[in-house]
Amino acid sequence: MPADANWPLRSINVDTKAYIAQAGVIRNTITPLARQLESAALLWRLHATDKPDIIDLNLQEAIRRGNQLAALHPDGPTSYREQDQATRVIALSLIKAIDLLGPAVEEKYRKVWLDAVQRRGKAIYDSILGSNGKIDQYPFDSHGGTNYGMLATIATLGLDRVPDAGTWFDFSLRGYANSLSPWGGDDGGFANGTAYAEYSEEIYGQLWQPIAAATGVNLFRKPWAIKFAQFMAHFDQPGSPTHVFGDEHDVVPVTQRSISYGKSVQSPVSLWYANSLAGKENALFGLHAPVIEGAGVTPAAPADAAQYPSIGWVAMHSKITDPADKLASVYFKSSPYGSYNHGHADQNSLVINSGGGQLLVEAGKADYYGSEQAKAWYRQTRAHNAITYDGGIGQELGIGDEVASLGWNGAISNFGTSPTLDTVTGTATAAYKGALSVAVRQVWYLREKNVVVVRDKLSSPVPRIFEWNMHSLKEMLIDGNGKVRITGDRSKLCLLSLTGSNFETFPAPPIAVGPKQFHAAFKSLALTSSAEFIVLLDIGCKGNVAVLGGTPAAPVVTIDGQPLRLY
């Protein structure tokens, strides 16, 4: 049973690591309790059985869980100040339960529950409103944006029940409906990474279904919401071994969230995505205030390659409809969001998966937001398949919500796709904050050959040793032909530097957490103020013969007799 006394630490004068750990415990305690409350209330409402004793047990379980949550003090460890995720979940689940249970909640309990909703909702409202409209002034407030939607839903269900719900409703619903996510544009992108995109899918279901049922405003039909499902299909495509880019990129996707979201959006791509994922729909998501639209929509797969320019991401797949064991996927990022919030200092970085496994990986493992190891390794450029210099010095890293990090960014251009060839250019010069005067990466994916060619053009005001970093889950071995071989559990990758370079391995720093990984780099042969890397990445290690020709200004790589102009 949750109790305020279980969580003694407060946000003033406490050990940061211990306090953050406590916040995680609170979140992981409150969330399942809230789900249990909503589930029991929904089952009672649906009369999901013809057995009266079971129906009554569902009601008693809902009352018990609601009383437990309402008993937590709104100014205690689950308060908005101490754990905003807990306070919003408590308020939302209590008002949902009241809406579902109606007069079945005795007045003595109903009064306590509604008082908790009022006090916790007011704390959310006061924070979002702030001075001079906080959410308008700071749209990239990650929790603030989510809390905005939470308040809109709480207010919607609280009308004529909670004293201040009308004020909250007028303040939040219209604004939230017109600014669902600050993390991308109408292309559906989500710059904070696919792990947090997936977590957002679940939140959207918790919020948008009640709003649609109560107001008729279906946020699943917003242009961004529809394209967001396509974004997830491209970057967390069926069979993805882990998420990609940003915090918790090392976490395995939970498919039920994307299945539920895709079925709610009801677009051709979202239905294809939901139907192609392994697993089942989130039962509470699917049954709670279901939005039934789009009858007759025919599922259709997205394109094999796509760019999301609002966030600077590109996905290139061999054939996205192939099963995971036959699919190769190449991801590229050069983002205008820089390393802000859950982003990393990974502009112009690559990730390659094949056969349902990982080949060229993002290094490290998440522990907690803002940790020292994340600052020193997990979020650093050196932990990604990107360019560093002089022993691992990389792009400027934003700490937390440091606004300046939005300027230490990248940008994509020249994206093109055809049945046989995809190409994109990334410019990450700004991310190095003046240390480099040119940092441009061009990527070509030859779909029929399942080969990637990467060209990096680099320059600096002073001579440096430039490094082309690479990471894998398996040991990297170099053969007699100078190829670096990564043999994964399900596929292989061979990397060949076509320009003069040294190959060196290096260890992760002692502060790193997680399982053993392997790290290496192609390095320029000597100190130089300008360098160029041209690297061929053969997915499957098929033994392609590659020859570099042309001129320095207009290089041409010939692969098994097929020329590829790198300009």
Side-chain angles (χ1 to χ4, degrees), residues 306-319:
Q307 66 167 334
Y308 291 81
S310 72
I311 62 169
W313 290 26
V314 169
M316 298 169 277
H317 301 284
S318 54
K319 188 173 181 58

Side-chain angles (χ1 to χ4, degrees), residues 412-567:
I412 58 172
S413 60
N414 301 325
F415 171 76
T417 182
S418 73
T420 59
L421 179 67
D422 301 328
T423 183
V424 64
T425 298
T427 300
T429 308
Y432 294 90
K433 201 182 176 182
L436 302 186
S437 48
V438 174
V440 175
R441 170 168 282 186
Q442 297 167 281
V443 178
W444 294 263
Y445 175 50
L446 288 77
R447 186 167 282 105
E448 293 179 335
K449 293 184 178 295
N450 212 14
V451 165
V452 181
V453 177
V454 180
R455 181 190 188 192
D456 285 281
K457 294 181 284 185
L458 308 161
S459 65
S460 166
V462 298
R464 302 187 184 281
I465 296 291
F466 293 95
E467 299 138 359
W468 199 101
N469 294 284
M470 62 192 85
H471 307 274
S472 66
L473 302 181
K474 302 292 185 178
E475 186 176 7
M476 288 177 266
L477 302 174
I478 190 161
D479 65 18
N481 297 317
K483 291 183 179 179
V484 177
R485 178 181 290 263
I486 299 170
T487 303
D489 292 333
R490 302 180 183 182
S491 188
K492 302 174 183 178
L493 181 68
C494 286
L495 301 91
L496 177 64
S497 175
L498 299 176
T499 47
S501 62
N502 294 319
F503 173 77
E504 294 183 13
T505 62
F506 63 90
I511 197 172
V513 299
K516 183 175 177 61
Q517 297 172 327
F518 298 87
H519 319 285
F522 292 127
K523 303 176 71 171
S524 54
L525 298 174
L527 287 167
T528 178
S529 58
S530 63
E532 183 166 324
F533 293 99
I534 297 176
V535 178
L536 183 138
L537 301 93
D538 176 11
I539 301 171
C541 294
K542 302 176 293 298
N544 301 103
V545 176
V547 178
L548 178 61
T551 67
V556 176
V557 174
T558 302
I559 306 169
D560 293 338
Q562 177 182 339
L564 176 67
R565 298 186 302 172
L566 306 186
Y567 57 93

Side-chain angles (χ1 to χ4, degrees), residues 59-227:
L59 176 60
Q60 296 310 312
E61 174 68 0
I63 298 297
R64 185 165 72 96
R65 297 304 184 182
N67 286 340
Q68 288 177 350
L69 292 175
L72 297 169
H73 200 289
D75 292 326
T78 63
S79 68
Y80 187 88
R81 180 186 65 253
E82 302 293 341
Q83 226 301 6
D84 67 318
Q85 294 169 315
T87 213
R88 71 195 189 194
V89 167
I90 291 170
L92 181 63
S93 63
L94 285 173
I95 197 64
K96 280 185 175 182
I98 286 173
D99 187 66
L100 288 166
L101 298 174
V105 182
E106 295 181 54
E107 185 60 29
K108 63 180 180 180
Y109 298 139
R110 179 184 178 88
K111 184 177 184 299
V112 175
W113 293 15
L114 288 175
D115 181 66
V117 175
Q118 166 66 31
R119 295 182 65 178
R120 292 180 183 277
K122 185 177 185 303
I124 298 172
Y125 171 72
D126 288 345
S127 175
I128 295 173
L129 180 64
S131 59
N132 197 30
K134 178 182 175 183
I135 197 67
D136 295 329
Q137 303 302 318
Y138 302 99
F140 295 130
D141 179 350
S142 173
H143 283 214
T146 300
N147 294 338
Y148 199 21
M150 288 280 185
L151 183 66
T153 310
I154 293 165
T156 299
L157 298 178
L159 289 172
D160 297 328
R161 292 170 173 150
V162 178
D164 290 348
T167 299
W168 304 341
F169 182 87
D170 291 341
F171 166 75
S172 62
L173 182 63
R174 184 178 289 106
Y176 174 68
N178 286 286
S179 57
L180 296 179
S181 172
W183 305 114
D186 284 348
D187 56 20
F190 196 94
N192 257 353
T194 65
Y196 281 83
E198 179 199 284
Y199 308 152
S200 295
E201 286 179 314
E202 181 165 345
I203 291 171
Y204 296 151
Q206 295 170 7
L207 306 184
W208 297 357
Q209 286 181 336
I211 287 174
T215 70
V217 178
N218 185 357
L219 299 179
F220 289 106
R221 301 305 301 163
K222 296 275 289 187
W224 179 87
I226 294 170
K227 286 296 185 70

